[in-house]
Amino acid sequence: MKAIFTISLITLPSLSQAADLGANALDYGGGAWSPFVVGAGIGILSWLTFALAGKAIGASSFYATVAGFIGMVVAPGHTRSLKYYQDNPPRLDWGFAFVIATVLGGFLAAWSGGEIKDEWLHPMWTDRFGDSLLLRAAIGMAGGLLMAFGARLAGGCTSGHGISGTLQLSAGSWLTVIAMFIGGIATAMLLYLWL
């Protein structure tokens, strides 16, 4: 509860500033969807997954499932011998479908908002690191591996803790989300300001 109170103290002034600037949840400028409407939609989606499927939104197990599928092709005996896959055999379940639907939904949101561009690298990236696709892919892959490791270590990812956990007022999830923001801000400052 202390974390919620602290976050409220930090974010409430920002929200009041947004209101002063005339921010309207139904008339958000630019091609992107309104973050207010999207946030409300994610909240409703969380209620529906709890009510209809009895599950919390989460995506980090998707990576383990994909690794399990690959393992069953490359080294099936070894994969079956692993404790994790004995308890969680890789299969096409609701969590797998959720992540695929999330990717498709992201594409539809970008397409409908006119955000699809013919560019491989964001201008902010090229200004700082140049136009090497190999470097961008390497950094992206390293970041993805660290994210997957951290998510498994913390027992959830940004969606599991950040949406489902905080929605249930889990103290551990709030602590995890605060740590995510601190880590993200520190990494961004390291990459774009200090290196």
Side-chain angles (χ1 to χ4, degrees), residues 67-130:
F69 282 135
I70 296 172
M72 293 300 284
V73 172
V74 177
H78 177 70
T79 303
R80 287 192 194 95
S81 71
L82 297 175
K83 177 79 167 71
Y84 180 83
Y85 289 117
Q86 290 174 0
D87 296 338
N88 306 282
R91 61 179 169 225
L92 298 177
D93 57 7
W94 77 274
F96 192 92
F98 173 78
V99 173
I100 297 299
T102 300
V103 174
L104 293 175
F107 171 79
L108 289 174
W111 175 70
S112 64
E115 293 288 314
I116 296 179
K117 300 175 182 174
D118 184 21
E119 65 182 23
W120 285 90
L121 299 172
H122 193 278
M124 185 177 174
W125 176 271
T126 55
D127 289 345
R128 180 68 181 87
F129 299 103

Side-chain angles (χ1 to χ4, degrees), residues 95-193:
F96 192 92
F98 173 78
V99 173
I100 297 299
T102 300
V103 174
L104 293 175
F107 171 79
L108 289 174
W111 175 70
S112 64
E115 293 288 314
I116 296 179
K117 300 175 182 174
D118 184 21
E119 65 182 23
W120 285 90
L121 299 172
H122 193 278
M124 185 177 174
W125 176 271
T126 55
D127 289 345
R128 180 68 181 87
F129 299 103
D131 59 356
S132 171
L133 284 176
L134 185 61
L135 176 64
R136 183 67 185 93
I139 296 294
M141 182 65 72
L145 289 172
L146 286 173
M147 188 282 299
F149 177 76
R152 301 315 301 169
L153 186 67
C157 59
T158 49
S159 56
H161 280 301
I163 297 173
S164 300
T166 56
L167 186 74
Q168 301 173 78
L169 300 180
S170 164
S173 292
W174 277 101
L175 182 63
T176 302
V177 170
I178 291 170
M180 286 177 186
F181 273 92
I182 293 172
I185 292 169
T187 302
M189 293 180 72
L190 179 68
L191 286 174
Y192 287 98
L193 296 179

